[in-house]
């Protein structure tokens, strides 16, 4: 019932969010709880915790209880007496029952410190597992913001196309009137109609792109096909992409100290060093102690069960020492492999640093170039829009022909698309630069 209530609340929440639209922050929070990749990494964390508990328990003695019971049939038994285990057993019955009980304790006192180092290594591995989860969380957040920005960009493109459709409709209607008045040829009217259909097609195409980006975002959020999903958010002002872009070197320096994939690679080197330390301890002797308590009884004994348990009670203890002399090169090979693993870990760290540097530089170049393009596209767009308005007015008055209108519309559309693309490209890359510095994603 508790699970049913929680599922119902979650379903209602999803429906409400789907109806109202999800903000970027809501998308990220939901993905952190429901994305399968993140959840699998958390399961790996829990598995590591369980393994650590097992390794810690291995430092202490192990105790086990054993018992065995058997029936013996001697068809030729003639009532003789015999000695079994130091006790005289009188065989009065052809069928006899034997029972034995034992408690055994084993403890590896010293094995070169491998058991303690294994615990230390598992703790380090658990930290690496946690960093893997954090890395996957950051990767998912980065993918979410990229898709979210694409949706916002394409939606604004839809609005631009809708405005152009209105103008194209007015031009087409004006062309029809001019044709009726004999002021325009049928071929020109057909061109205006084609322009109108192109504008409508652009709206459909942009909306299709929005739906596709929403589908990809739903996939990251693990939402199924039946979930009503949409995103919401304020359209960024034109001043936002003009904000100061952080220096690439500053971002990289900060990222080296905050990014989990870098810390994970560093711990990978420490893990390899610890593995080498464990491997060389294969040359050390192993000391273990054992102790046991045992008892037994037999149905053919002349003593009662109580007397048998008393007489057969035995205790023992021992110490064993194992000194490796020749282990078929196992220890030496383990040391060599550990050194090679360390080299691999060092190369992995270098590779991740290079990848991080390249990614940050790419975001910085895209943000810087996008900002410059946005400034140019904004100025160009204003000029093209004013020219288009003037051309349209002249066309309405019969002073411009269809070719002029189509060319002017094409220039306006291209300028608007360039401005939108550079605007959102700049915003996305600026956000990602801040994100790599450890700041929260926020549009």
């Amino acid at each position: 019932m508790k699970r049913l209530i929680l599922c119902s609340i979650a379903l209602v929440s999803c429906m409400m969010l789907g109806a109202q639209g999800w903000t970027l922050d809501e998308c990220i929070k939901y993905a952190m709880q429901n994305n399968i990749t993140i959840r699998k990494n958390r399961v790996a964390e829990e598995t590591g915790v369980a393994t650590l508990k097992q390794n810690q328990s291995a430092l202490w003695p192990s105790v086990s209880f054993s018992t065995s019971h058997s029936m013996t049939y001697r068809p030729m038994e003639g009532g003789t007496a015999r000695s079994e285990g130091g006790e005289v057993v009188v065989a009065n019955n052809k069928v006899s029952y034997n029972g034995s009980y034992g408690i055994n304790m084993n403890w590896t006192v010293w094995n070169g410190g491998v058991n303690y180092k294994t615990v230390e290594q598992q703790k380090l591995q658990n930290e690496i597992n946690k960093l893997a989860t954090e890395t996957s969380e950051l990767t998912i957040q980065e993918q979410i913001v990229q898709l979210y920005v694409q949706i916002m960009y394409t939606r604004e493109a839809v609005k631009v196309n809708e405005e152009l459709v209105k103008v194209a409709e007015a031009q087409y209607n004006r062309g029809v009137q001019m044709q009726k008045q004999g002021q325009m040829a049928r071929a020109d009217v057909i061109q205006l109609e084609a322009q109108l259909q192109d504008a409508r097609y652009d709206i459909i195409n942009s909306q299709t792109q929005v739906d596709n980006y929403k589908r990809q975002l739903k996939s990251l959020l693990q939402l199924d096909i039946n979930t009503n999903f949409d995103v919401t958010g304020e359209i960024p002002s034109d001043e936002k992409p003009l904000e100061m872009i952080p220096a690439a070197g500053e971002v990289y320096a900060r990222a080296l100290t905050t990014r989990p994939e870098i810390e994970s690679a560093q711990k990978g080197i420490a893990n390899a060093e610890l593995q080498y330390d464990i491997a060389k301890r294969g040359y050390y002797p192993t000391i273990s102690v054992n102790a046991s308590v045992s008892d037994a009884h037999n149905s053919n004994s002349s003593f009662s069960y109580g007397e048998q348990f008393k007489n057969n009670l035995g205790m023992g203890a021992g110490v064993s020492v194992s000194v490796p002399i020749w282990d078929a090169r196992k220890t030496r090979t383990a040391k060599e492999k550990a050194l090679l693993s360390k080299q691999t870990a060092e190369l992995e760290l270098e590779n991740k640093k290079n990848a991080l540097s390249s990614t940050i530089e790419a975001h910085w170049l895209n943000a810087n170039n996008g900002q410059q393009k946005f400034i140019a596209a904004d100025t160009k767009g204003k000029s093209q829009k004013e020219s288009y308005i003037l051309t349209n007015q002249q066309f309405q008055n019969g002073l411009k022909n269809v070719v002029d209108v189509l060319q002017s519309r094409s220039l306006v559309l291209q300028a608007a698309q360039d401005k939108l693309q550079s605007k959102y490209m700049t915003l996305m890359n600026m956000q990602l630069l801040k994100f790599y510095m450890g700041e929260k994603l926020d549009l």
Side-chain angles (χ1 to χ4, degrees):
M1 181 59 71
K2 183 178 179 181
R3 290 183 179 179
L4 180 60
I5 293 173
L6 292 175
C7 290
S8 300
I9 294 174
L11 179 60
V12 172
S13 300
C14 288
M15 293 176 64
M16 292 177 64
L17 286 170
Q20 298 174 359
W22 296 45
T23 65
L24 176 61
D25 188 57
E26 288 170 339
C27 290
I28 291 175
K29 288 181 178 179
Y30 189 86
M32 294 304 99
Q33 298 298 323
N34 296 276
N35 183 267
I36 291 179
T37 301
I38 296 174
R39 290 163 61 187
K40 287 172 65 176
N41 285 333
R42 287 175 182 156
V43 171
E45 284 188 61
E46 295 177 3
T47 302
V49 172
T51 303
L52 176 60
K53 292 179 180 179
Q54 180 183 5
N55 292 343
Q56 290 173 330
S57 298
L59 299 175
W60 302 97
S62 62
V63 181
S64 62
F65 169 76
S66 62
T67 180
S68 64
H69 302 270
S70 62
M71 300 289 291
T72 305
Y73 174 60
R74 293 185 174 89
M76 308 302 294
E77 189 68 59
T80 60
R82 63 182 182 276
S83 175
E84 290 186 2
E87 178 184 356
V88 177
V89 177
V90 180
N92 295 320
N93 299 317
K94 294 183 178 181
V95 178
S96 62
Y97 164 67
N98 295 278
S100 63
Y101 310 87
I103 297 177
N104 301 285
M105 184 275 291
N106 291 283
W107 183 21
T108 301
V109 180
W110 173 253
N111 62 348
V114 172
N115 47 3
Y116 293 95
K117 291 294 180 179
T118 301
V119 171
E120 185 179 345
Q121 186 181 37
Q122 187 58 49
K123 288 180 179 179
L124 185 59
Q125 184 59 50
N126 288 354
E127 294 176 3
I128 294 175
N129 292 341
K130 184 178 180 181
L131 291 169
T133 302
E134 293 178 7
T135 301
S136 64
E137 289 176 348
L138 294 180
T139 300
I140 295 299
Q141 290 183 53
E142 190 170 343
Q143 293 173 352
I144 287 175
V145 75
Q146 289 174 342
L147 289 171
Y148 192 91
V149 168
Q150 288 288 356
I151 293 172
M152 298 293 290
Y153 156 64
T154 313
R155 275 188 171 173
E156 258 199 270
V158 170
K159 293 181 179 180
V160 171
N161 291 328
E162 287 174 346
E163 292 179 1
L164 291 175
V165 165
K166 294 178 182 179
V167 176
E169 287 177 345
Q171 292 173 347
Y172 172 70
N173 293 333
R174 177 57 178 163
V176 171
Q177 292 177 358
M178 294 176 69
Q179 181 189 3
K180 291 179 180 179
Q181 296 170 1
Q183 299 176 351
M184 181 174 290
R186 174 61 181 167
D188 292 338
V189 175
I190 292 176
Q191 285 186 325
L192 291 175
E193 184 179 8
Q195 173 192 245
L196 175 59
Q197 297 305 323
D198 285 342
R200 289 173 176 170
Y201 175 82
D202 289 339
I203 292 179
I204 296 173
N205 185 51
S206 297
Q207 188 58 53
T208 301
Q209 292 179 355
V210 171
D211 293 338
N212 186 48
Y213 290 135
K214 285 165 62 176
R215 177 193 60 80
Q216 296 179 52
L217 186 52
K218 284 176 65 176
S219 178
L220 286 177
L221 302 179
Q222 311 300 153
L223 299 175
D224 61 27
I225 192 173
N226 297 316
T227 303
N228 184 20
F229 176 78
D230 202 355
V231 301
T232 186
E234 295 182 2
I235 296 177
S237 65
D238 288 351
E239 287 75 24
K240 198 155 188 176
L242 299 177
E243 295 177 357
M244 181 178 294
I245 301 173
E250 179 185 355
V251 176
Y252 180 63
R254 184 85 64 86
L256 287 177
T257 61
T258 59
R259 294 291 294 188
E261 65 267 31
I262 300 299
E263 185 178 357
S264 176
Q266 292 171 339
K267 289 185 180 296
I269 297 176
N271 191 20
E273 292 174 346
L274 191 55
Q275 184 60 41
Y276 177 80
D277 191 14
I278 292 174
K280 71 180 183 180
R281 293 171 187 269
Y283 294 125
Y284 297 177
T286 300
I287 303 173
S288 59
V289 298
N290 60 82
S292 63
V293 178
S294 62
D295 211 336
H297 64 82
N298 188 290
S299 61
N300 282 342
S301 175
S302 59
F303 296 101
S304 65
Y305 277 8
E307 291 174 322
Q308 288 186 64
F309 280 128
K310 179 180 179 181
N311 295 332
N312 293 333
L313 178 64
M315 301 179 185
V319 177
S320 64
V321 178
S322 175
V323 180
I325 298 176
W326 170 248
D327 63 354
R329 209 180 184 276
K330 291 181 180 180
T331 300
R332 185 175 180 180
T333 301
K335 289 171 57 181
E336 292 174 352
K337 288 183 176 181
L339 289 175
L340 293 173
S341 295
K342 181 182 178 182
Q343 293 180 22
T344 301
E346 291 172 343
L347 292 173
E348 182 65 18
L349 175 60
E350 184 178 351
N351 183 53
K352 288 187 175 181
K353 285 183 176 180
N354 290 336
L356 181 64
S357 175
S358 178
T359 299
I360 290 174
E361 186 176 11
H363 287 316
W364 186 87
L365 288 173
N366 289 334
N368 187 64
N369 293 337
Q371 191 176 71
Q372 299 302 318
K373 288 181 179 179
F374 174 75
I375 295 173
D378 184 44
T379 303
K380 181 180 178 182
K382 291 177 181 178
S383 300
Q384 294 293 350
K385 188 173 183 179
E386 291 177 1
S387 176
Y388 183 53
I389 293 173
L390 180 60
T391 301
N392 184 51
Q393 291 175 350
Q394 293 175 335
F395 171 75
Q396 298 291 338
N397 296 323
L399 301 177
K400 289 289 186 179
N401 57 33
V402 175
V403 175
D404 295 329
V405 171
L406 294 179
Q407 289 178 346
S408 183
R409 175 189 177 276
S410 178
L411 293 173
V412 168
L413 180 60
Q414 186 61 49
Q417 291 176 343
D418 290 344
K419 178 182 176 181
L420 284 178
Q421 186 177 19
S422 58
K423 173 182 178 179
Y424 281 95
M425 179 65 70
T426 303
L427 287 174
M428 182 180 70
N429 285 280
M430 287 175 65
Q431 280 297 314
L432 291 176
L433 286 173
K434 294 178 181 179
F435 183 61
Y436 275 86
M437 294 177 70
E439 298 181 15
K440 181 181 178 182
L441 287 170
D442 183 27
L443 287 176

